[in-house]
Amino acid sequence: MTEQAETGYLVRRARTTDVPAIQRLIEPLVAQRILLGKERVVFYEAVQEFRVATTPDGTLVGCGALHVMWEDLGEVRTLAVSEDWLGRGVGRALLNTLEADARELGLRRLFCLTFEVPFFTRNGFMEIGEDIIDPAVYSEMVRSTDEGVAEFLDLARVKPNTLGNSRMLKLL
């Protein structure tokens, strides 16, 4: 049996044709201020980082991205599941696939900034403080223009983005 036959969905690499559906999927979460909104061009630029879950008819029911931040560190981004598909293992399947991708890339740590602390805790993430990277690495990473890196470093300029979120880390 295939994964799709067993679960009703298939997790695969995102395609450029998935971008409009990814954006529609996360719009309600952006409206609730759970996820940050992004311009469509940003999704196209990062489409290779995304995995999606689709039903047999091709309906996109979940998405998630893995963004490499440093030689051993990645971030789980934009993990979202359609409300109709919550509780069916879609989020866990996407996260497992992103973790496999991270291992394949040689990453040893995964970061996330989330309101969904119970979900990530069940999946091996732990809340973290501020001092989890070497000062020399910090001085390199602080040069990044990426907002996710700034959130990981807990920089003042992104504090409005992170209010209420928990910073979490998983060792792979």
Side-chain angles (χ1 to χ4, degrees):
M1 280 190 153
T2 66
E3 177 184 14
Q4 194 163 4
E6 293 171 11
T7 63
Y9 60 87
L10 173 70
V11 175
R12 63 166 172 77
R13 285 205 176 280
R15 303 177 186 127
T16 56
T17 54
D18 294 318
V19 167
I22 290 170
Q23 204 166 25
R24 280 192 302 276
L25 176 69
I26 70 161
E27 280 174 357
L29 299 172
V30 171
Q32 297 170 43
R33 301 179 75 90
I34 293 171
L35 291 177
L36 289 176
K38 297 177 182 155
E39 298 296 328
R40 187 167 288 188
V41 68
V42 174
F43 288 107
Y44 283 117
E45 290 170 345
V47 72
Q48 70 280 359
E49 298 180 353
F50 274 84
R51 295 292 187 146
V52 294
T54 59
T55 62
D57 69 359
T59 302
L60 193 136
V61 297
C63 68
L66 172 66
H67 181 77
V68 175
M69 298 171 75
W70 196 249
E71 106 181 83
D72 71 331
L73 177 66
E75 179 183 10
V76 173
R77 293 183 172 181
T78 321
L79 186 60
V81 175
S82 169
E83 192 172 333
D84 296 341
W85 282 81
L86 290 174
R88 297 190 195 186
V90 176
R92 182 179 304 259
L94 285 162
L95 184 58
N96 288 342
T97 302
L98 296 173
E99 288 180 10
D101 292 346
R103 286 183 183 93
E104 187 177 320
L105 288 167
L107 301 178
R108 294 189 324 263
R109 300 179 297 167
L110 278 182
F111 167 75
C112 71
L113 182 69
T114 186
F115 288 106
E116 300 297 332
V117 173
F119 170 80
F120 281 98
T121 300
R122 283 192 308 274
N123 286 282
F125 284 74
M126 297 180 343
E127 290 191 61
I128 58 170
E130 296 175 17
D131 300 324
I132 63 165
I133 59 170
D134 181 86
V137 172
Y138 179 93
S139 69
E140 291 287 332
M141 290 181 74
V142 77
R143 297 177 187 165
S144 175
T145 58
D146 185 89
E147 291 295 297
V149 172
E151 291 165 349
F152 171 74
L153 297 175
D154 205 23
L155 300 180
R157 70 180 168 87
V158 293
K159 290 289 187 191
N161 297 350
T162 63
L163 293 177
N165 280 291
S166 292
R167 299 168 73 245
M168 301 187 79
L169 191 74
K170 180 175 184 175
L171 302 178
L172 299 177

